[in-house]
Coordinates of all heavy atoms in Angstrom, one line a residue:
D1 N 119.7 122.1 116.0 CA 119.6 121.8 117.4 C 118.4 122.6 118.0 O 117.9 123.5 117.4 CB 120.9 122.2 118.1 CG 121.0 121.5 119.4 OD1 120.2 120.7 119.8 OD2 122.0 121.8 120.1
R2 N 118.0 122.1 119.2 CA 116.8 122.8 119.8 C 117.3 123.9 120.8 O 118.2 123.7 121.6 CB 116.0 121.7 120.7 CG 115.2 120.8 119.8 CD 114.6 119.7 120.7 NE 115.7 118.8 121.3 CZ 115.5 118.0 122.3 NH1 114.3 118.0 122.9 NH2 116.5 117.3 122.8
G3 N 116.6 125.0 120.7 CA 116.9 126.1 121.7 C 115.8 126.3 122.7 O 116.0 126.9 123.7
A4 N 114.6 125.8 122.3 CA 113.5 125.9 123.2 C 112.4 124.9 122.8 O 112.4 124.5 121.6 CB 112.9 127.3 123.3
Q5 N 111.5 124.6 123.7 CA 110.4 123.7 123.3 C 109.3 123.8 124.4 O 109.6 124.2 125.5 CB 110.8 122.3 123.2 CG 111.2 121.6 124.5 CD 111.6 120.1 124.3 OE1 112.3 119.8 123.3 NE2 111.3 119.3 125.2
F6 N 108.1 123.6 124.0 CA 107.0 123.4 125.0 C 106.1 122.3 124.6 O 106.0 122.0 123.4 CB 106.2 124.7 125.3 CG 105.3 125.1 124.2 CD1 103.9 124.7 124.2 CD2 105.7 125.9 123.1 CE1 103.1 125.0 123.2 CE2 104.8 126.2 122.1 CZ 103.5 125.8 122.2
G7 N 105.5 121.7 125.5 CA 104.7 120.5 125.2 C 103.9 120.0 126.3 O 103.7 120.6 127.4
F8 N 103.4 118.8 126.2 CA 102.5 118.1 127.1 C 103.1 116.8 127.6 O 103.5 116.0 126.8 CB 101.1 117.9 126.4 CG 100.7 119.1 125.6 CD1 100.9 119.1 124.2 CD2 100.1 120.2 126.2 CE1 100.5 120.2 123.5 CE2 99.7 121.3 125.5 CZ 99.9 121.3 124.1
R9 N 103.1 116.6 128.9 CA 103.7 115.5 129.5 C 103.0 115.0 130.8 O 102.6 115.9 131.5 CB 105.2 115.8 129.8 CG 106.1 114.6 130.1 CD 107.5 115.1 130.4 NE 108.4 113.9 130.6 CZ 109.6 114.1 131.0 NH1 110.1 115.3 131.3 NH2 110.4 113.0 131.2
N10 N 103.0 113.8 131.0 CA 102.5 113.2 132.3 C 103.3 113.7 133.4 O 104.5 113.8 133.4 CB 102.5 111.7 132.2 CG 102.3 111.1 133.6 OD1 103.3 110.7 134.2 ND2 101.1 111.1 134.1
D11 N 102.6 114.1 134.5 CA 103.3 114.6 135.7 C 102.8 114.0 137.0 O 103.1 114.5 138.1 CB 103.3 116.1 135.8 CG 101.9 116.7 136.1 OD1 100.9 115.9 136.0 OD2 101.8 117.8 136.6
A12 N 102.0 113.0 137.0 CA 101.5 112.3 138.2 C 101.2 110.9 137.9 O 101.4 110.4 136.8 CB 100.2 113.0 138.7
A13 N 100.8 110.2 138.9 CA 100.6 108.7 138.8 C 99.5 108.4 137.7 O 98.5 109.1 137.6 CB 100.1 108.1 140.1
V14 N 99.8 107.4 136.9 CA 98.9 106.9 135.9 C 98.0 105.8 136.4 O 98.5 104.9 137.1 CB 99.7 106.4 134.7 CG1 98.8 105.9 133.5 CG2 100.6 107.5 134.1
S15 N 96.8 105.8 136.0 CA 95.9 104.7 136.4 C 94.9 104.5 135.2 O 94.9 105.3 134.2 CB 95.1 105.0 137.6 OG 94.3 106.2 137.5
A16 N 94.1 103.5 135.3 CA 93.1 103.2 134.2 C 92.2 104.4 133.9 O 91.6 104.9 134.9 CB 92.3 102.0 134.6
G17 N 92.2 104.9 132.7 CA 91.4 106.0 132.4 C 91.9 107.4 132.9 O 91.1 108.4 132.7
S18 N 93.1 107.5 133.4 CA 93.6 108.7 134.0 C 95.0 108.9 133.6 O 95.9 108.1 134.0 CB 93.4 108.8 135.5 OG 93.9 109.9 136.1
F19 N 95.4 110.0 132.9 CA 96.7 110.3 132.6 C 97.0 111.8 132.8 O 96.8 112.6 131.9 CB 97.0 110.0 131.1 CG 98.4 110.0 130.7 CD1 99.3 109.0 131.0 CD2 99.0 111.2 130.1 CE1 100.6 109.0 130.6 CE2 100.3 111.2 129.7 CZ 101.1 110.2 130.0
P20 N 97.2 112.2 134.1 CA 97.4 113.6 134.4 C 98.5 114.2 133.6 O 99.6 113.8 133.6 CB 97.8 113.6 135.9 CG 97.3 112.2 136.4 CD 97.4 111.3 135.3
T21 N 98.1 115.3 132.9 CA 99.0 115.9 131.9 C 99.3 117.4 132.3 O 98.4 118.1 132.6 CB 98.4 115.8 130.5 OG1 98.2 114.4 130.3 CG2 99.4 116.3 129.5
A22 N 100.6 117.8 132.2 CA 101.0 119.1 132.4 C 101.4 119.8 131.1 O 101.8 119.1 130.2 CB 102.1 119.2 133.4
I23 N 101.4 121.1 131.1 CA 102.0 121.9 130.0 C 103.4 122.4 130.5 O 103.4 123.1 131.5 CB 101.1 123.0 129.5 CG1 99.8 122.5 129.2 CG2 101.8 123.8 128.3 CD1 98.8 123.7 128.8
M24 N 104.4 122.1 129.8 CA 105.8 122.4 130.2 C 106.5 123.2 129.2 O 106.5 122.9 128.0 CB 106.5 121.1 130.6 CG 105.8 120.3 131.6 SD 106.6 118.7 131.9 CE 105.6 118.1 133.3
F25 N 107.3 124.2 129.7 CA 108.1 125.1 128.8 C 109.5 125.0 129.2 O 109.9 125.1 130.3 CB 107.6 126.5 129.0 CG 106.1 126.8 128.7 CD1 105.2 126.4 129.6 CD2 105.8 127.3 127.5 CE1 103.8 126.6 129.3 CE2 104.4 127.5 127.2 CZ 103.4 127.2 128.1
Y26 N 110.4 124.7 128.1 CA 111.8 124.5 128.3 C 112.5 125.6 127.5 O 112.2 125.9 126.3 CB 112.2 123.2 127.8 CG 111.7 122.0 128.5 CD1 110.4 121.5 128.2 CD2 112.4 121.3 129.5 CE1 109.9 120.4 128.9 CE2 111.9 120.3 130.2 CZ 110.6 119.8 129.9 OH 110.1 118.7 130.6
T27 N 113.6 126.1 128.1 CA 114.5 127.1 127.3 C 115.9 126.7 127.6 O 116.2 126.0 128.6 CB 114.2 128.5 127.7 OG1 114.4 128.7 129.1 CG2 112.8 129.0 127.3
G28 N 116.8 127.2 126.7 CA 118.2 127.0 126.9 C 118.9 127.5 125.6 O 118.4 128.3 124.9
S29 N 120.2 127.1 125.4 CA 120.9 127.4 124.3 C 121.2 126.3 123.3 O 121.6 126.4 122.2 CB 122.3 128.1 124.6 OG 123.0 127.2 125.4
S30 N 120.9 125.0 123.8 CA 121.0 123.9 123.0 C 120.2 122.7 123.6 O 119.8 122.9 124.8 CB 122.5 123.4 122.8 OG 123.0 122.9 124.1
S31 N 120.0 121.6 122.9 CA 119.3 120.5 123.5 C 120.0 119.9 124.7 O 119.4 119.3 125.6 CB 119.1 119.4 122.4 OG 120.3 119.0 121.9
A32 N 121.3 120.1 124.8 CA 122.1 119.6 125.9 C 121.8 120.3 127.2 O 122.0 119.7 128.3 CB 123.6 119.6 125.6
N33 N 121.3 121.5 127.2 CA 121.1 122.2 128.4 C 119.7 122.8 128.5 O 119.5 123.8 129.3 CB 122.2 123.4 128.6 CG 122.1 124.4 127.5 OD1 121.1 124.6 126.9 ND2 123.2 125.1 127.4
L34 N 118.7 122.3 127.8 CA 117.4 122.7 128.0 C 116.9 122.5 129.4 O 117.1 121.4 130.0 CB 116.4 122.0 127.1 CG 116.4 122.4 125.6 CD1 115.4 121.5 124.8 CD2 116.1 123.8 125.4
K35 N 116.3 123.5 130.0 CA 115.8 123.4 131.4 C 114.3 123.8 131.4 O 113.9 124.7 130.7 CB 116.6 124.3 132.4 CG 118.1 124.0 132.4 CD 118.4 122.7 133.0 CE 119.9 122.5 133.1 NZ 120.3 121.2 133.6
E36 N 113.6 123.1 132.2 CA 112.1 123.5 132.4 C 112.0 124.7 133.2 O 112.3 124.7 134.4 CB 111.4 122.3 133.0 CG 109.9 122.6 133.1 CD 109.1 121.5 133.8 OE1 109.7 120.4 134.0 OE2 108.0 121.8 134.2
G37 N 111.5 125.8 132.6 CA 111.4 127.1 133.3 C 110.0 127.4 133.8 O 109.9 128.2 134.7

């Protein structure tokens, strides 16, 4: 099971040639309760 993860994800409107991307960090004790911290 997952206890933490970080990665890259879109966080704003998408348009042609533009995909605004954020770096996001999640922690928790299992995949069921991962929260973005």
Side-chain angles (χ1 to χ4, degrees):
D1 197 3
R2 288 173 293 163
Q5 68 182 36
F6 74 92
F8 316 97
R9 191 181 186 188
N10 163 258
D11 71 340
V14 178
S15 60
S18 177
F19 190 81
T21 304
I23 304 175
M24 300 175 178
F25 299 81
Y26 297 83
T27 56
S29 60
S30 71
S31 58
N33 62 22
L34 283 180
K35 304 293 184 180
E36 183 186 345

